[in-house]
Short mmCIF file of all heavy atoms in Angstrom, two decimals:
data_model
loop_
_atom_site.label_atom_id
_atom_site.label_comp_id
_atom_site.label_asym_id
_atom_site.label_seq_id
_atom_site.Cartn_x
_atom_site.Cartn_y
_atom_site.Cartn_z
N MET A 16 6.70 10.27 -12.93
CA MET A 16 5.92 9.43 -12.05
C MET A 16 5.64 10.14 -10.74
O MET A 16 6.45 10.90 -10.17
CB MET A 16 6.69 8.13 -11.75
CG MET A 16 5.89 7.15 -10.91
SD MET A 16 6.75 5.59 -10.60
CE MET A 16 6.61 4.86 -12.17
N ASN A 17 4.49 9.96 -10.18
CA ASN A 17 4.05 10.59 -8.97
C ASN A 17 4.88 10.05 -7.80
O ASN A 17 5.19 8.88 -7.78
CB ASN A 17 2.57 10.25 -8.80
CG ASN A 17 1.93 11.07 -7.69
OD1 ASN A 17 2.58 11.60 -6.80
ND2 ASN A 17 0.62 11.17 -7.78
N ASP A 18 5.26 10.87 -6.86
CA ASP A 18 6.06 10.41 -5.68
C ASP A 18 5.39 9.35 -4.88
O ASP A 18 6.14 8.48 -4.32
CB ASP A 18 6.39 11.56 -4.78
CG ASP A 18 7.55 12.43 -5.30
OD1 ASP A 18 8.23 11.98 -6.20
OD2 ASP A 18 7.72 13.58 -4.83
N LYS A 19 4.11 9.33 -4.79
CA LYS A 19 3.44 8.30 -3.97
C LYS A 19 3.47 6.95 -4.72
O LYS A 19 3.11 5.91 -4.11
CB LYS A 19 2.03 8.66 -3.64
CG LYS A 19 1.09 8.71 -4.82
CD LYS A 19 -0.31 9.07 -4.41
CE LYS A 19 -1.28 9.00 -5.50
NZ LYS A 19 -2.64 9.18 -5.11
N ASN A 20 3.86 6.92 -6.04
CA ASN A 20 3.94 5.69 -6.78
C ASN A 20 5.35 5.35 -7.18
O ASN A 20 5.55 4.43 -7.94
CB ASN A 20 3.07 5.80 -8.03
CG ASN A 20 1.60 5.82 -7.69
OD1 ASN A 20 1.11 5.23 -6.75
ND2 ASN A 20 0.86 6.63 -8.41
N ALA A 21 6.30 6.06 -6.67
CA ALA A 21 7.73 5.90 -7.08
C ALA A 21 8.17 4.49 -6.73
O ALA A 21 7.97 4.02 -5.60
CB ALA A 21 8.60 6.92 -6.39
N GLY A 22 8.75 3.76 -7.69
CA GLY A 22 9.26 2.47 -7.42
C GLY A 22 8.24 1.33 -7.50
O GLY A 22 8.54 0.18 -7.22
N LEU A 23 6.97 1.65 -7.87
CA LEU A 23 5.94 0.67 -7.86
C LEU A 23 5.53 0.44 -9.27
O LEU A 23 5.21 1.32 -10.02
CB LEU A 23 4.71 1.11 -7.02
CG LEU A 23 4.97 1.53 -5.62
CD1 LEU A 23 3.70 2.05 -4.96
CD2 LEU A 23 5.52 0.36 -4.79
N SER A 24 5.54 -0.87 -9.67
CA SER A 24 5.17 -1.20 -11.03
C SER A 24 3.62 -1.03 -11.23
O SER A 24 2.85 -1.02 -10.28
CB SER A 24 5.55 -2.64 -11.34
OG SER A 24 4.73 -3.55 -10.64
N LEU A 25 3.27 -0.93 -12.44
CA LEU A 25 1.82 -0.84 -12.78
C LEU A 25 1.07 -2.07 -12.27
O LEU A 25 -0.02 -1.95 -11.74
CB LEU A 25 1.64 -0.66 -14.24
CG LEU A 25 0.18 -0.47 -14.76
CD1 LEU A 25 -0.45 0.78 -14.12
CD2 LEU A 25 0.14 -0.39 -16.27
N VAL A 26 1.62 -3.26 -12.45
CA VAL A 26 0.95 -4.47 -12.00
C VAL A 26 0.84 -4.46 -10.49
O VAL A 26 -0.23 -4.85 -9.91
CB VAL A 26 1.77 -5.73 -12.48
CG1 VAL A 26 1.22 -7.00 -11.86
CG2 VAL A 26 1.79 -5.81 -13.95
N TYR A 27 1.90 -4.07 -9.76
CA TYR A 27 1.80 -4.01 -8.28
C TYR A 27 0.72 -3.09 -7.85
O TYR A 27 -0.08 -3.34 -6.97
CB TYR A 27 3.18 -3.61 -7.71
CG TYR A 27 3.12 -3.38 -6.20
CD1 TYR A 27 3.23 -4.42 -5.35
CD2 TYR A 27 2.85 -2.11 -5.69
CE1 TYR A 27 3.12 -4.25 -3.97
CE2 TYR A 27 2.79 -1.89 -4.29
CZ TYR A 27 2.93 -2.96 -3.48
OH TYR A 27 2.81 -2.78 -2.10
N ARG A 28 0.67 -1.87 -8.50
CA ARG A 28 -0.32 -0.83 -8.10
C ARG A 28 -1.75 -1.34 -8.32
O ARG A 28 -2.61 -1.14 -7.51
CB ARG A 28 -0.04 0.46 -8.81
CG ARG A 28 1.24 1.11 -8.36
CD ARG A 28 1.42 2.47 -8.96
NE ARG A 28 0.96 2.62 -10.35
CZ ARG A 28 1.68 3.05 -11.32
NH1 ARG A 28 2.90 3.47 -11.12
NH2 ARG A 28 1.15 3.11 -12.56
N ALA A 29 -1.95 -2.01 -9.46
CA ALA A 29 -3.30 -2.52 -9.79
C ALA A 29 -3.72 -3.60 -8.79
O ALA A 29 -4.82 -3.65 -8.30
CB ALA A 29 -3.36 -3.06 -11.26
N ARG A 30 -2.79 -4.55 -8.54
CA ARG A 30 -3.10 -5.64 -7.62
C ARG A 30 -3.29 -5.09 -6.18
O ARG A 30 -4.21 -5.50 -5.53
CB ARG A 30 -1.92 -6.65 -7.62
CG ARG A 30 -2.27 -7.95 -6.85
CD ARG A 30 -1.15 -8.90 -6.90
NE ARG A 30 -0.75 -9.24 -5.59
CZ ARG A 30 0.29 -8.78 -4.86
NH1 ARG A 30 1.14 -7.96 -5.42
NH2 ARG A 30 0.44 -9.13 -3.63
N TRP A 31 -2.50 -4.08 -5.81
CA TRP A 31 -2.60 -3.52 -4.53
C TRP A 31 -3.98 -2.84 -4.32
O TRP A 31 -4.67 -2.99 -3.34
CB TRP A 31 -1.53 -2.45 -4.24
CG TRP A 31 -1.50 -1.91 -2.89
CD1 TRP A 31 -0.73 -2.41 -1.85
CD2 TRP A 31 -2.19 -0.79 -2.36
NE1 TRP A 31 -0.95 -1.66 -0.73
CE2 TRP A 31 -1.85 -0.66 -1.02
CE3 TRP A 31 -3.08 0.13 -2.90
CZ2 TRP A 31 -2.37 0.33 -0.21
CZ3 TRP A 31 -3.61 1.06 -2.14
CH2 TRP A 31 -3.26 1.21 -0.80
N ARG A 32 -4.40 -2.05 -5.36
CA ARG A 32 -5.64 -1.38 -5.27
C ARG A 32 -6.86 -2.30 -5.21
O ARG A 32 -7.75 -2.18 -4.43
CB ARG A 32 -5.81 -0.44 -6.54
CG ARG A 32 -7.11 0.29 -6.58
CD ARG A 32 -7.43 1.17 -5.40
NE ARG A 32 -6.47 2.27 -5.34
CZ ARG A 32 -6.37 3.09 -4.28
NH1 ARG A 32 -7.17 3.00 -3.28
NH2 ARG A 32 -5.47 4.07 -4.30
N LEU A 33 -6.78 -3.42 -6.06
CA LEU A 33 -7.85 -4.40 -6.06
C LEU A 33 -7.94 -5.10 -4.68
O LEU A 33 -9.06 -5.23 -4.12
CB LEU A 33 -7.61 -5.41 -7.11
CG LEU A 33 -8.62 -6.58 -7.23
CD1 LEU A 33 -10.02 -5.97 -7.51
CD2 LEU A 33 -8.24 -7.59 -8.24
N THR A 34 -6.82 -5.49 -4.10
CA THR A 34 -6.85 -6.11 -2.82
C THR A 34 -7.31 -5.19 -1.73
O THR A 34 -8.12 -5.58 -0.88
CB THR A 34 -5.39 -6.60 -2.46
OG1 THR A 34 -4.95 -7.45 -3.44
CG2 THR A 34 -5.38 -7.32 -1.13
N TRP A 35 -6.89 -3.91 -1.76
CA TRP A 35 -7.33 -2.95 -0.78
C TRP A 35 -8.83 -2.72 -0.88
O TRP A 35 -9.52 -2.69 0.14
CB TRP A 35 -6.60 -1.62 -1.02
CG TRP A 35 -6.79 -0.66 0.12
CD1 TRP A 35 -6.01 -0.50 1.19
CD2 TRP A 35 -7.86 0.31 0.24
NE1 TRP A 35 -6.47 0.50 2.01
CE2 TRP A 35 -7.62 1.04 1.44
CE3 TRP A 35 -8.96 0.63 -0.57
CZ2 TRP A 35 -8.47 2.04 1.85
CZ3 TRP A 35 -9.79 1.65 -0.09
CH2 TRP A 35 -9.57 2.33 1.07
N LEU A 36 -9.38 -2.62 -2.12
CA LEU A 36 -10.83 -2.47 -2.27
C LEU A 36 -11.58 -3.71 -1.79
O LEU A 36 -12.61 -3.57 -1.14
CB LEU A 36 -11.18 -2.15 -3.70
CG LEU A 36 -10.80 -0.73 -4.21
CD1 LEU A 36 -10.99 -0.63 -5.70
CD2 LEU A 36 -11.58 0.25 -3.48
N LEU A 37 -11.05 -4.89 -2.07
CA LEU A 37 -11.76 -6.12 -1.62
C LEU A 37 -11.76 -6.19 -0.10
O LEU A 37 -12.76 -6.58 0.52
CB LEU A 37 -11.10 -7.34 -2.22
CG LEU A 37 -11.37 -7.59 -3.69
CD1 LEU A 37 -10.56 -8.72 -4.20
CD2 LEU A 37 -12.89 -7.84 -3.96
N LEU A 38 -10.66 -5.81 0.51
CA LEU A 38 -10.57 -5.79 2.01
C LEU A 38 -11.54 -4.71 2.54
O LEU A 38 -12.18 -4.92 3.64
CB LEU A 38 -9.21 -5.55 2.52
CG LEU A 38 -8.26 -6.72 2.44
CD1 LEU A 38 -6.81 -6.26 2.75
CD2 LEU A 38 -8.70 -7.83 3.41
N HIS A 39 -11.73 -3.62 1.84
CA HIS A 39 -12.61 -2.58 2.24
C HIS A 39 -14.08 -3.04 2.24
O HIS A 39 -14.88 -2.81 3.14
CB HIS A 39 -12.45 -1.36 1.42
CG HIS A 39 -13.34 -0.18 1.79
ND1 HIS A 39 -13.08 0.54 2.92
CD2 HIS A 39 -14.45 0.32 1.27
CE1 HIS A 39 -13.94 1.46 3.01
NE2 HIS A 39 -14.83 1.38 2.03
N VAL A 40 -14.45 -3.83 1.20
CA VAL A 40 -15.82 -4.27 1.05
C VAL A 40 -16.10 -5.53 1.85
O VAL A 40 -17.08 -5.59 2.55
CB VAL A 40 -16.12 -4.49 -0.45
CG1 VAL A 40 -17.49 -5.12 -0.64
CG2 VAL A 40 -16.04 -3.19 -1.21
N ALA A 41 -15.23 -6.51 1.71
CA ALA A 41 -15.49 -7.86 2.36
C ALA A 41 -14.49 -8.18 3.46
O ALA A 41 -14.52 -9.33 3.89
CB ALA A 41 -15.43 -8.88 1.23
N GLY A 42 -13.73 -7.25 3.87
CA GLY A 42 -12.72 -7.55 4.90
C GLY A 42 -13.30 -7.54 6.32
O GLY A 42 -14.51 -7.45 6.47
N PRO A 43 -12.44 -7.64 7.27
CA PRO A 43 -12.94 -7.65 8.66
C PRO A 43 -13.52 -6.36 9.10
O PRO A 43 -13.31 -5.29 8.44
CB PRO A 43 -11.62 -7.97 9.47
CG PRO A 43 -10.51 -7.48 8.64
CD PRO A 43 -10.99 -7.70 7.22
N ALA A 44 -14.24 -6.36 10.17
CA ALA A 44 -14.82 -5.18 10.76
C ALA A 44 -13.65 -4.26 11.17
O ALA A 44 -12.53 -4.60 11.12
CB ALA A 44 -15.70 -5.49 11.91
N THR A 45 -14.08 -3.06 11.64
CA THR A 45 -13.06 -2.09 12.10
C THR A 45 -12.14 -2.67 13.19
O THR A 45 -12.67 -3.20 14.16
CB THR A 45 -13.77 -0.81 12.62
OG1 THR A 45 -14.64 -0.33 11.62
CG2 THR A 45 -12.76 0.22 13.04
N LEU A 46 -10.89 -2.61 12.92
CA LEU A 46 -9.89 -3.11 13.84
C LEU A 46 -8.92 -2.05 14.26
O LEU A 46 -8.85 -0.99 13.53
CB LEU A 46 -9.10 -4.24 13.20
CG LEU A 46 -9.88 -5.51 12.77
CD1 LEU A 46 -8.96 -6.44 11.97
CD2 LEU A 46 -10.31 -6.20 14.01
N PRO A 47 -8.21 -2.19 15.35
CA PRO A 47 -7.13 -1.23 15.67
C PRO A 47 -6.15 -1.18 14.53
O PRO A 47 -5.94 -2.23 13.79
CB PRO A 47 -6.49 -1.77 16.92
CG PRO A 47 -7.50 -2.74 17.46
CD PRO A 47 -8.29 -3.28 16.34
N ASP A 48 -5.47 -0.05 14.31
CA ASP A 48 -4.55 0.11 13.23
C ASP A 48 -3.47 -0.94 13.08
O ASP A 48 -3.09 -1.35 12.08
CB ASP A 48 -3.84 1.51 13.29
CG ASP A 48 -4.75 2.58 12.73
OD1 ASP A 48 -5.82 2.24 12.12
OD2 ASP A 48 -4.42 3.76 12.95
N HIS A 49 -2.98 -1.44 14.25
CA HIS A 49 -1.91 -2.47 14.17
C HIS A 49 -2.37 -3.83 13.74
O HIS A 49 -1.60 -4.67 13.45
CB HIS A 49 -1.15 -2.55 15.52
CG HIS A 49 -1.99 -3.08 16.61
ND1 HIS A 49 -2.91 -2.34 17.32
CD2 HIS A 49 -1.94 -4.31 17.24
CE1 HIS A 49 -3.42 -3.11 18.25
NE2 HIS A 49 -2.92 -4.30 18.21
N LEU A 50 -3.70 -3.99 13.74
CA LEU A 50 -4.31 -5.31 13.35
C LEU A 50 -5.04 -5.23 11.97
O LEU A 50 -5.39 -6.25 11.36
CB LEU A 50 -5.26 -5.82 14.38
CG LEU A 50 -4.69 -6.17 15.75
CD1 LEU A 50 -5.81 -6.51 16.70
CD2 LEU A 50 -3.74 -7.33 15.58
N ASP A 51 -5.30 -4.01 11.52
CA ASP A 51 -6.08 -3.80 10.31
C ASP A 51 -5.23 -4.21 9.07
O ASP A 51 -4.21 -3.62 8.86
CB ASP A 51 -6.57 -2.38 10.26
CG ASP A 51 -7.58 -2.16 9.14
OD1 ASP A 51 -7.61 -2.89 8.19
OD2 ASP A 51 -8.37 -1.14 9.31
N PRO A 52 -5.73 -5.12 8.24
CA PRO A 52 -4.95 -5.53 7.08
C PRO A 52 -4.77 -4.43 6.04
O PRO A 52 -3.78 -4.28 5.34
CB PRO A 52 -5.73 -6.71 6.47
CG PRO A 52 -7.06 -6.73 7.09
CD PRO A 52 -6.91 -5.96 8.39
N ARG A 53 -5.81 -3.48 5.94
CA ARG A 53 -5.67 -2.38 4.99
C ARG A 53 -4.56 -1.44 5.44
O ARG A 53 -3.76 -0.92 4.64
CB ARG A 53 -6.95 -1.64 4.81
CG ARG A 53 -7.99 -2.46 3.99
CD ARG A 53 -9.31 -1.68 3.82
NE ARG A 53 -9.91 -1.55 5.10
CZ ARG A 53 -10.60 -0.47 5.51
NH1 ARG A 53 -10.74 0.56 4.77
NH2 ARG A 53 -11.15 -0.46 6.70
N ARG A 54 -4.51 -1.15 6.72
CA ARG A 54 -3.47 -0.24 7.25
C ARG A 54 -2.13 -0.89 7.11
O ARG A 54 -1.12 -0.22 6.77
CB ARG A 54 -3.73 0.07 8.74
CG ARG A 54 -5.02 0.78 8.98
CD ARG A 54 -5.10 2.15 8.28
NE ARG A 54 -6.40 2.72 8.51
CZ ARG A 54 -7.22 2.90 7.51
NH1 ARG A 54 -6.90 2.64 6.26
NH2 ARG A 54 -8.42 3.44 7.70
N ARG A 55 -2.04 -2.19 7.30
CA ARG A 55 -0.76 -2.91 7.11
C ARG A 55 -0.26 -2.76 5.63
O ARG A 55 0.88 -2.44 5.40
CB ARG A 55 -0.87 -4.42 7.46
CG ARG A 55 0.46 -5.15 7.37
CD ARG A 55 0.31 -6.64 7.49
NE ARG A 55 -0.29 -7.17 6.31
CZ ARG A 55 -1.42 -7.88 6.29
NH1 ARG A 55 -2.10 -8.15 7.36
NH2 ARG A 55 -1.91 -8.33 5.14
N MET A 56 -1.21 -2.92 4.72
CA MET A 56 -0.90 -2.78 3.30
C MET A 56 -0.37 -1.35 3.03
O MET A 56 0.56 -1.18 2.26
CB MET A 56 -2.15 -3.05 2.42
CG MET A 56 -2.53 -4.52 2.30
SD MET A 56 -3.99 -4.69 1.34
CE MET A 56 -3.42 -4.10 -0.33
N GLU A 57 -1.03 -0.41 3.58
CA GLU A 57 -0.60 1.02 3.42
C GLU A 57 0.81 1.28 3.97
O GLU A 57 1.63 1.95 3.34
CB GLU A 57 -1.65 1.95 4.09
CG GLU A 57 -2.98 1.94 3.35
CD GLU A 57 -4.10 2.64 4.11
OE1 GLU A 57 -3.89 3.07 5.27
OE2 GLU A 57 -5.22 2.66 3.62
N ARG A 58 1.08 0.68 5.14
CA ARG A 58 2.44 0.87 5.74
C ARG A 58 3.45 0.18 4.82
O ARG A 58 4.53 0.73 4.63
CB ARG A 58 2.45 0.21 7.13
CG ARG A 58 1.77 1.07 8.15
CD ARG A 58 2.03 0.58 9.57
NE ARG A 58 1.67 -0.85 9.75
CZ ARG A 58 0.45 -1.24 10.19
NH1 ARG A 58 -0.48 -0.34 10.42
NH2 ARG A 58 0.22 -2.55 10.36
N GLU A 59 3.13 -1.05 4.36
CA GLU A 59 4.11 -1.75 3.46
C GLU A 59 4.33 -0.99 2.16
O GLU A 59 5.48 -0.94 1.72
CB GLU A 59 3.58 -3.12 3.18
CG GLU A 59 3.62 -4.07 4.36
CD GLU A 59 2.91 -5.40 4.17
OE1 GLU A 59 2.28 -5.57 3.06
OE2 GLU A 59 2.94 -6.24 5.07
N ARG A 60 3.29 -0.44 1.61
CA ARG A 60 3.47 0.39 0.36
C ARG A 60 4.28 1.59 0.63
O ARG A 60 5.21 1.93 -0.17
CB ARG A 60 2.10 0.73 -0.14
CG ARG A 60 2.11 1.55 -1.41
CD ARG A 60 0.73 1.86 -1.88
NE ARG A 60 0.76 2.80 -3.02
CZ ARG A 60 0.13 2.56 -4.14
NH1 ARG A 60 -0.63 1.51 -4.25
NH2 ARG A 60 0.18 3.45 -5.11
N ALA A 61 4.05 2.29 1.73
CA ALA A 61 4.88 3.47 2.08
C ALA A 61 6.36 3.10 2.29
O ALA A 61 7.24 3.83 1.88
CB ALA A 61 4.32 4.11 3.40
N THR A 62 6.58 1.91 2.83
CA THR A 62 7.98 1.46 3.02
C THR A 62 8.64 1.24 1.67
O THR A 62 9.77 1.61 1.47
CB THR A 62 8.01 0.14 3.84
OG1 THR A 62 7.41 0.41 5.11
CG2 THR A 62 9.40 -0.33 4.05
N ARG A 63 7.89 0.58 0.73
CA ARG A 63 8.42 0.37 -0.63
C ARG A 63 8.74 1.72 -1.30
O ARG A 63 9.77 1.83 -1.95
CB ARG A 63 7.43 -0.38 -1.48
CG ARG A 63 7.39 -1.85 -1.26
CD ARG A 63 6.36 -2.46 -2.19
NE ARG A 63 6.38 -3.87 -2.12
CZ ARG A 63 6.59 -4.67 -3.17
NH1 ARG A 63 6.75 -4.15 -4.34
NH2 ARG A 63 6.59 -5.95 -3.02
N VAL A 64 7.90 2.61 -1.22
CA VAL A 64 8.11 3.91 -1.84
C VAL A 64 9.30 4.64 -1.26
O VAL A 64 10.16 5.15 -1.95
CB VAL A 64 6.80 4.84 -1.78
CG1 VAL A 64 7.12 6.25 -2.19
CG2 VAL A 64 5.71 4.20 -2.62
N ALA A 65 9.45 4.55 0.04
CA ALA A 65 10.59 5.19 0.77
C ALA A 65 11.88 4.58 0.34
O ALA A 65 12.84 5.28 0.10
CB ALA A 65 10.39 5.11 2.28
N ARG A 66 11.88 3.24 0.20
CA ARG A 66 13.11 2.58 -0.23
C ARG A 66 13.46 2.99 -1.69
O ARG A 66 14.61 3.16 -2.00
CB ARG A 66 12.89 1.03 -0.23
CG ARG A 66 13.39 0.43 1.07
CD ARG A 66 13.35 -1.08 1.01
NE ARG A 66 11.97 -1.43 1.27
CZ ARG A 66 11.40 -2.54 0.86
NH1 ARG A 66 12.03 -3.46 0.12
NH2 ARG A 66 10.12 -2.84 1.14
N ALA A 67 12.46 3.12 -2.55
CA ALA A 67 12.67 3.48 -3.94
C ALA A 67 13.23 4.90 -3.97
O ALA A 67 14.16 5.17 -4.79
CB ALA A 67 11.43 3.37 -4.74
N GLN A 68 12.67 5.78 -3.18
CA GLN A 68 13.17 7.22 -3.16
C GLN A 68 14.59 7.26 -2.69
O GLN A 68 15.41 7.99 -3.17
CB GLN A 68 12.20 8.07 -2.33
CG GLN A 68 10.89 8.29 -3.01
CD GLN A 68 9.92 9.05 -2.12
OE1 GLN A 68 10.14 9.11 -0.88
NE2 GLN A 68 8.85 9.54 -2.66
N ALA A 69 14.89 6.47 -1.63
CA ALA A 69 16.26 6.42 -1.08
C ALA A 69 17.25 5.93 -2.14
O ALA A 69 18.38 6.43 -2.27
CB ALA A 69 16.32 5.63 0.20
N ALA A 70 16.86 4.89 -2.85
CA ALA A 70 17.74 4.31 -3.86
C ALA A 70 17.93 5.28 -5.03
O ALA A 70 19.04 5.36 -5.61
CB ALA A 70 17.13 3.02 -4.40
N ARG A 71 16.94 6.10 -5.32
CA ARG A 71 17.04 7.08 -6.40
C ARG A 71 17.94 8.17 -6.08
O ARG A 71 18.60 8.76 -6.92
CB ARG A 71 15.66 7.59 -6.73
CG ARG A 71 15.54 8.20 -8.11
CD ARG A 71 14.16 8.53 -8.51
NE ARG A 71 13.11 8.27 -7.55
CZ ARG A 71 12.11 9.05 -7.35
NH1 ARG A 71 11.89 10.12 -8.03
NH2 ARG A 71 11.19 8.69 -6.47
N GLN A 72 18.05 8.53 -4.75
CA GLN A 72 18.92 9.64 -4.28
C GLN A 72 20.40 9.22 -4.31
O GLN A 72 21.22 10.05 -4.38
CB GLN A 72 18.50 10.09 -2.93
CG GLN A 72 17.20 10.83 -2.91
CD GLN A 72 16.75 11.23 -1.54
OE1 GLN A 72 17.37 10.85 -0.53
NE2 GLN A 72 15.63 11.98 -1.47
N HIS A 73 20.67 7.93 -4.22
CA HIS A 73 22.11 7.47 -4.13
C HIS A 73 22.66 7.24 -5.50
O HIS A 73 22.32 7.09 -6.47
CB HIS A 73 22.22 6.21 -3.36
CG HIS A 73 21.94 6.43 -1.84
ND1 HIS A 73 22.63 7.35 -1.12
CD2 HIS A 73 21.03 5.89 -1.03
CE1 HIS A 73 22.20 7.31 0.12
NE2 HIS A 73 21.19 6.47 0.22
#
């Protein structure tokens, strides 16, 4: 499995990508990073991957 997808199920990845694309097309206008829902999704996904990698190392 690719490191950027570690710990993420196929269903989660598909739902995440669809939501991200919908926000890209029909989401709010450009916002600062701390308010942008797409950036929030990316941060949350990175946190999940980091937790999965940490759990795999232990």
Side-chain angles (χ1 to χ4, degrees):
M16 183 178 288
N17 193 337
D18 279 346
K19 70 179 185 171
N20 293 324
L23 304 177
S24 70
L25 181 61
V26 173
Y27 173 85
R28 293 187 322 233
R30 191 179 124 256
W31 188 91
R32 178 59 64 188
L33 178 61
T34 303
W35 191 91
L36 287 171
L37 288 173
L38 283 170
H39 182 72
V40 173
T45 304
L46 297 172
D48 280 349
H49 68 282
L50 295 175
D51 191 335
R53 287 182 293 143
R54 300 297 174 246
R55 185 188 74 237
M56 287 178 63
E57 292 166 357
R58 287 190 302 270
E59 290 170 357
R60 181 180 173 128
T62 301
R63 279 181 174 237
V64 169
R66 268 188 278 155
Q68 289 174 344
R71 200 171 1 141
Q72 290 178 353
H73 292 302

